[in-house]
Amino acid sequence: MTKIDIGEELEYIEKVNKINIGKNLKYNILTMGCQLNENDSEKICGMVEKMGYTKTDDISLADLVIYNTCCVRENAEEKLFGKLGEVKKLKEAKGTIIAIGGCMMQEKHIVEKIKKSYKYDVIFGTHTLHKFPKDLYNAIMENKKITDILDIDGEIIEGLPIKRDDNIRASVTIMNGCNNFCTYCIVPYVRGRERSRNPEDILAEIESLSKSGYKEITLLGQNVNSYMRVEREKGLTESKIDSFAKLLRAVNEIEGIEKIRFTSPHPKDFTDDVIDAIRDLDKVSKLVHLPLQSGSTDILKAMNRVYTKEQYLNLVQKMQDKIPGVKFSTDIIVGFPGETEEDFEDTLEVVRKVKFEQIFMFIYSRRIGTPADKMKNQVPEEIKHKRFDRLKKLYEEIIAENNKEYIGTVQNILVEGYSKTNSEFLTARTDTNKVVIFKGNRELIGKFIQVKIVSEHMWYLKGEII
Ligand code: SAH
Ligand code: SF4
Ligand code: F3S
């Protein structure tokens, strides 16, 4: 894919740093979206720290406040307006610079609302992340508001500095955008068309992470298992690594990396080569995220998910036959327009059959500009909430059931650090992403160890080192 030259933009990092030098300035960032949004925030932090700001969790101390926004559901949007209301006082008191970026800024009506009713200095979007230093420089030097949004597609940005949140586990974005246009979803409109990073750049990044001591990598994208598909179809790649399966195999070769996860894949792109790669590769997690969205074939059709209930269940069966120990996690939307009681029962039935390890459950949220928002048969809020509660109850029953299977097993787990809720315990996650807490000393952090599971507590397991 075409990489754009960002040399000129990066020069502004040094220019802002020169203005800031010796001022001991602080920044505060709020990340409101998914893992891709978090990975973008790590790049924003990388740039901002090179511009002379140090991070603070106390917003009242901040000279620069950054909101990295999400618009996938209405509550994500409402949260921003609440925050902008609060930060206004800070700006009035001490001239704090307010920068707003991310997916929500790709929506015209939102940017207009902010311009009309809220205080800000810089607005940037998903295609202008790399221009943030230049925009900030202009906002400071010219003391004016900057809005820098682009609607471009098909470009890849390499070479931004990055400040990661963790030093054992790292996320690596392998592709951007989405071509699927599920009828409920805003993402294709705010993230643009699917485009993949060159494998050489991805592998170089992971190799350097391994050299710095990282042990676990999560490959990120809106549709990771269609990695390089567009490029392959258009004849835009000469690389031998021109599919997701091949990328997984190449990452598995990197010494020092011991665990590989990926999210999100789409059921339609689980071709045999991908399934075989998951089976063959020792480092690849056997927890497969398989977004269901709905268990009803009619609703799936209205959602433009391009698979039926039966096809989904067949895929699960095929993976269970091929990959020993495979488990599944999923995303489910409750209350999509036209969802009847029977449709919802289909969803419950699939949940019972697959016994997911993890379910991310969402109440359908109308998104302006998407086809589903224009559908006449919207489900009343009350019914949506009741169905959500029923799904949640079933989920909890299944978790309790699944958890029992862990008791007495020995798990090989990567120690992540001290538990946030109880500092007496260390915390880690099983291959299937279950949190395990256990007693042990700090030398174990960053290492894989064997832990025997002794009890289950719904959202976590307790273990003992053996
Ligand atoms: N590309 C990923 C993630 C997309 S956003 C994927 O396809 O899996 C994460 C999840 O948010 C989606 O899987 C979906 O379950 C949910 N979601 C997206 N749009 C939504 C909407 N309008 N209302 C409720 N949930 C939504
Ligand atoms: Fe949205 Fe569907 Fe693309 Fe996922 S695959 S980002 S749900 S349009
Ligand atoms: Fe939200 Fe954008 Fe991610 S809309 S879910 S932050 S891609």
Side-chain angles (χ1 to χ4, degrees):
M1 230 333 98
T2 353
K3 279 196 258 181
I4 59 168
D5 181 8
I6 59 164
E8 192 227 347
E9 268 81 15
L10 292 183
E11 282 170 19
Y12 282 88
I13 292 181
E14 193 40 44
K15 287 187 183 171
V16 178
N17 189 39
K18 272 203 182 118
I19 310 173
N20 287 346
I21 222 150
K23 290 186 186 159
N24 188 23
L25 299 177
K26 296 201 161 39
Y27 79 101
N28 175 273
I29 183 163
L30 182 65
T31 306
M32 304 166 108
C34 62
Q35 291 183 63
L36 279 157
N37 188 251
E38 282 170 16
N39 196 223
D40 283 347
S41 280
E42 292 181 328
K43 291 170 192 160
I44 297 171
C45 292
M47 293 189 279
V48 167
E49 297 198 5
K50 280 198 161 40
M51 289 192 280
Y53 297 89
T54 49
K55 198 174 198 166
T56 174
D57 290 332
D58 182 351
I59 190 170
S60 70
L61 299 177
D63 304 282
L64 168 65
V65 174
I66 306 156
Y67 297 104
N68 193 12
T69 62
C70 169
C71 54
V72 77
R73 285 169 292 273
E74 194 179 2
N75 51 8
E77 280 187 358
E78 279 166 358
K79 194 168 161 192
L80 176 72
F81 291 117
K83 293 285 171 195
L84 290 181
E86 289 167 25
V87 79
K88 185 174 159 221
K89 287 192 204 90
L90 204 59
K91 181 157 193 65
E92 284 164 357
K94 53 179 273 189
T96 308
I97 297 173
I98 302 170
I100 319 169
C103 292
M104 208 174 147
M105 298 306 109
Q106 295 294 135
E107 294 184 287
K108 284 198 182 69
H109 68 279
I110 296 283
V111 172
E112 271 158 33
K113 183 168 167 181
I114 294 175
K115 281 184 168 173
K116 212 171 132 202
S117 316
Y118 294 90
K119 289 207 185 305
Y120 72 94
D121 297 281
V122 179
I123 289 178
F124 60 106
T126 56
H127 304 292
T128 44
L129 196 68
H130 59 293
K131 292 176 75 192
F132 179 58
K134 185 177 184 173
D135 296 334
L136 183 64
Y137 178 82
N138 288 334
I140 296 171
M141 296 306 277
E142 294 165 28
N143 193 23
K144 71 173 191 203
K145 294 178 185 173
I146 308 281
T147 305
D148 194 0
I149 304 292
L150 282 175
D151 272 331
I152 48 152
D153 284 318
E155 282 175 346
I156 286 286
I157 298 188
E158 293 290 347
L160 287 183
I162 182 158
K163 173 78 191 340
R164 294 180 189 272
D165 288 338
D166 196 285
N167 47 25
I168 302 168
R169 298 179 297 146
S171 298
V172 174
T173 299
I174 62 165
M175 49 119 54
N176 260 302
C178 183
N179 287 358
N180 293 329
F181 291 93
C182 303
T183 55
Y184 50 80
C185 186
I186 191 89
V187 171
Y189 306 91
V190 296
R191 284 269 172 183
R193 294 294 63 71
E194 230 170 87
R195 54 210 182 272
S196 295
R197 285 177 71 195
N198 290 329
E200 295 74 25
D201 293 321
I202 297 170
L203 295 173
E205 182 176 347
I206 300 175
E207 263 157 26
S208 115
L209 286 166
S210 165
K211 288 203 181 86
S212 326
Y214 285 87
K215 299 276 184 256
E216 180 177 316
I217 298 294
T218 303
L219 305 174
L220 292 183
Q222 291 301 350
N223 190 358
V224 280
N225 51 350
S226 78
Y227 174 72
M228 278 284 173
R229 189 187 50 199
V230 176
E231 289 77 3
R232 236 175 20 241
E233 285 169 3
K234 290 189 183 160
L236 288 174
T237 175
E238 284 165 11
S239 173
K240 277 196 215 124
I241 304 170
D242 61 354
S243 70
F244 185 59
K246 289 180 191 164
L247 182 69
L248 276 181
R249 288 182 188 274
V251 177
N252 200 70
E253 292 292 306
I254 297 177
E255 220 175 294
I257 298 302
E258 298 185 46
K259 178 75 70 189
I260 303 163
R261 300 180 190 272
F262 56 85
T263 202
S264 282
H266 193 295
K268 75 174 165 53
D269 296 305
F270 267 107
T271 43
D272 286 344
D273 59 337
V274 177
I275 299 175
D276 291 349
I278 300 171
R279 177 198 59 201
D280 296 345
L281 303 173
D282 57 328
K283 296 176 184 175
V284 173
S285 166
K286 302 301 179 249
L287 178 77
V288 173
H289 187 61
L290 199 60
L292 172 67
Q293 311 302 358
S294 168
S296 149
T297 295
D298 288 346
I299 295 296
L300 287 167
K301 190 153 190 271
M303 284 176 161
N304 190 30
R305 289 292 291 180
V306 302
Y307 51 85
T308 63
K309 175 189 181 184
E310 287 68 33
Q311 283 169 331
Y312 184 94
L313 287 171
N314 287 342
L315 179 60
V316 166
Q317 186 66 52
K318 187 177 184 180
M319 285 201 236
Q320 284 169 337
D321 291 344
K322 276 193 161 190
I323 310 168
V326 71
K327 305 272 179 192
F328 299 94
S329 61
T330 202
D331 289 359
I332 293 175
I333 298 176
V334 170
F336 182 84
E339 185 186 74
T340 62
E341 182 56 28
E342 291 75 51
D343 292 321
F344 180 63
E345 286 289 344
D346 277 337
T347 299
L348 297 181
E349 191 193 325
V350 175
V351 170
R352 273 188 216 106
K353 280 198 170 140
V354 184
K355 297 197 169 67
F356 296 103
E357 287 287 314
Q358 217 173 356
I359 307 180
F360 300 94
M361 298 174 291
F362 308 105
I363 291 178
Y364 169 70
S365 172
R366 295 175 78 158
R367 304 286 69 211
I368 294 174
T370 61
D373 181 43
K374 295 183 196 86
M375 293 179 185
K376 295 275 176 278
N377 44 2
Q378 301 288 328
V379 176
E381 286 302 317
E382 200 194 323
I383 295 181
K384 285 193 216 172
H385 281 92
K386 279 199 176 134
R387 286 185 189 155
F388 183 87
D389 292 342
R390 281 164 64 198
L391 175 62
K392 185 158 166 266
K393 193 164 161 277
L394 175 62
Y395 177 37
E396 286 169 0
E397 283 165 25
I398 284 169
I399 294 290
E401 225 174 279
N402 289 347
N403 279 354
K404 282 192 201 127
E405 287 181 19
Y406 285 87
I407 294 175
T409 62
V410 174
Q411 302 281 333
N412 186 33
I413 49 183
L414 173 60
V415 185
E416 291 168 10
Y418 282 101
S419 160
K420 285 199 184 82
T421 43
N422 188 341
S423 60
E424 266 182 59
F425 290 92
L426 289 168
T427 178
R429 278 172 308 140
T430 63
D431 182 60
T432 52
N433 224 7
K434 284 251 174 235
V435 174
V436 182
I437 64 164
F438 52 95
K439 287 211 166 126
N441 60 41
R442 66 161 51 242
E443 279 85 71
L444 297 174
I445 296 172
K447 298 202 170 78
F448 274 88
I449 60 161
Q450 306 269 318
V451 166
K452 185 174 179 180
I453 305 302
V454 293
S455 60
E456 62 95 4
H457 307 261
M458 200 70 174
W459 304 114
Y460 67 93
L461 305 169
K462 232 182 221 173
E464 280 167 8
I465 298 175
I466 55 170

